[in-house]
Amino acid sequence: GAVVSQHPSRVICKSGTSVKIECRSLDFQATTMFWYRQFPKQSLMLMATSNEGSKATYEQGVEKDKFLINHASLTLSTLTVTSAHPEDSSFYICSATGTGFYYEQYFGPGTRLTVT
Amino acid sequence: QKEVEQNSGPLSVPEGAIASLNCTYSDRGSQSFFWYRQYSGKSPELIMSIYSNGDKEDGRFTAQLNKASQYVSLLIRDSQPSDSATYLCAVNKDSAAGNKLTFGGGTRVLVKP
């Protein structure tokens, strides 16, 4: 399968600061990347979809000014959580798909964010 | 009605037995179906994709799709303790959804030695 990396794997930040999470496709060109959030014992929640070179499409209820997504190249997307608060503490996971993948998404290992 | 429904479990299975997981979906236009395995504290891992009616086998896993009845299932043969995880069913609804997948809530599977 295709390989997706995420960095950092864990981050602790103080309330009010911003955190950037990187998602990279290592062995394919990702035409679309997705950002999910998962709270303990809950299912995945899609936050946004991003295509290379265009603005991200956010799901209903997700604040686009708080969760900034940049998909600058076919192998890199970033999620910046701005002015983080304790309620933003969660497991953030990216996934990616490419041409010819027939909608298969491959997930990164995730980033566990704790806001103190 | 949820778009993709799964029994949350836990589904308790003796080691060596067959685990049978079911998933139903509401959008009749759905075309692509996936099973992901997620270990506790980890991200999902794709284990099966299925696109046409019938069975698809890959090692100990068999996915079954019935579009008329709007369900997709996953069988795990010769279950091992390492199969203990949450299994997520995902559906690509239709062309309007683009590349997005809709996930079910997941079924937790416990394989007991």
Side-chain angles (χ1 to χ4, degrees), chain B residues 56-109:
Chain B
K56 179 181 178 183
E57 187 175 315
D58 184 358
R60 295 185 295 110
F61 298 104
T62 298
Q64 300 173 317
L65 175 60
N66 184 322
K67 290 184 181 180
S69 300
Q70 294 176 240
Y71 82 80
V72 56
S73 62
L74 179 71
L75 300 178
I76 308 174
R77 289 183 300 282
D78 188 22
S79 295
Q80 301 296 310
S82 59
D83 295 326
S84 297
T86 296
Y87 290 79
L88 303 171
C89 172
V91 176
N92 175 258
K93 294 201 297 183
D94 54 36
S95 59
N99 286 334
K100 290 199 304 186
L101 297 181
T102 302
F103 284 84
T107 298
R108 193 157 71 96
V109 172

Side-chain angles (χ1 to χ4, degrees), chain A residues 60-90:
Chain A
Q60 196 170 14
V62 177
E63 301 173 58
K64 60 182 179 182
D65 294 331
K66 181 169 183 63
F67 299 100
L68 301 179
I69 291 171
N70 184 284
H71 191 162
S73 76
L74 282 172
T75 60
L76 173 64
S77 176
T78 60
L79 167 68
T80 301
V81 183
T82 63
S83 187
H85 289 98
E87 57 266 30
D88 298 323
S89 298
S90 189

Side-chain angles (χ1 to χ4, degrees), chain A residues 2 8 29 41 43 52 59 67-68 73 98 109:
Chain A
Q29 293 188 324
K41 299 196 185 300
S43 191
E52 183 263 340
E59 295 298 300
F67 299 100
L68 301 179
S73 76

Side-chain angles (χ1 to χ4, degrees), chain B:
Chain B
Q1 182 189 8
K2 291 183 182 177
E3 293 177 296
V4 180
E5 291 211 58
Q6 298 180 251
N7 188 316
S8 61
L11 175 65
S12 188
V13 179
E15 184 175 357
I18 296 174
S20 178
L21 291 74
N22 294 316
C23 170
T24 58
Y25 58 94
S26 60
D27 193 324
R28 193 168 281 279
S30 300
Q31 296 295 323
S32 308
F33 307 86
F34 308 91
W35 284 99
Y36 286 84
R37 177 175 62 198
Q38 187 175 24
Y39 291 113
S40 181
K42 304 295 185 183
S43 66
E45 173 192 8
L46 178 65
I47 54 172
M48 289 288 281
S49 310
I50 188 166
Y51 304 95
S52 53
N53 283 326
D55 295 0
K56 179 181 178 183
E57 187 175 315
D58 184 358
R60 295 185 295 110
F61 298 104
T62 298
Q64 300 173 317
L65 175 60
N66 184 322
K67 290 184 181 180
S69 300
Q70 294 176 240
Y71 82 80
V72 56
S73 62
L74 179 71
L75 300 178
I76 308 174
R77 289 183 300 282
D78 188 22
S79 295
Q80 301 296 310
S82 59
D83 295 326
S84 297
T86 296
Y87 290 79
L88 303 171
C89 172
V91 176
N92 175 258
K93 294 201 297 183
D94 54 36
S95 59
N99 286 334
K100 290 199 304 186
L101 297 181
T102 302
F103 284 84
T107 298
R108 193 157 71 96
V109 172
L110 294 174
V111 181
K112 298 188 173 180

Side-chain angles (χ1 to χ4, degrees), chain A residues 22-95:
Chain A
E22 288 189 352
C23 176
R24 293 181 185 273
S25 57
L26 298 186
D27 54 0
F28 67 100
Q29 293 188 324
T31 51
T32 309
M33 287 184 165
F34 305 85
W35 288 95
Y36 294 85
R37 182 166 55 179
Q38 188 174 38
F39 292 106
K41 299 196 185 300
Q42 295 187 23
S43 191
L44 295 171
M45 188 193 83
L46 178 65
M47 299 175 66
T49 302
S50 75
N51 295 294
E52 183 263 340
S54 57
K55 287 185 179 179
T57 302
Y58 291 81
E59 295 298 300
Q60 196 170 14
V62 177
E63 301 173 58
K64 60 182 179 182
D65 294 331
K66 181 169 183 63
F67 299 100
L68 301 179
I69 291 171
N70 184 284
H71 191 162
S73 76
L74 282 172
T75 60
L76 173 64
S77 176
T78 60
L79 167 68
T80 301
V81 183
T82 63
S83 187
H85 289 98
E87 57 266 30
D88 298 323
S89 298
S90 189
F91 191 39
Y92 291 86
I93 317 172
C94 72
S95 71

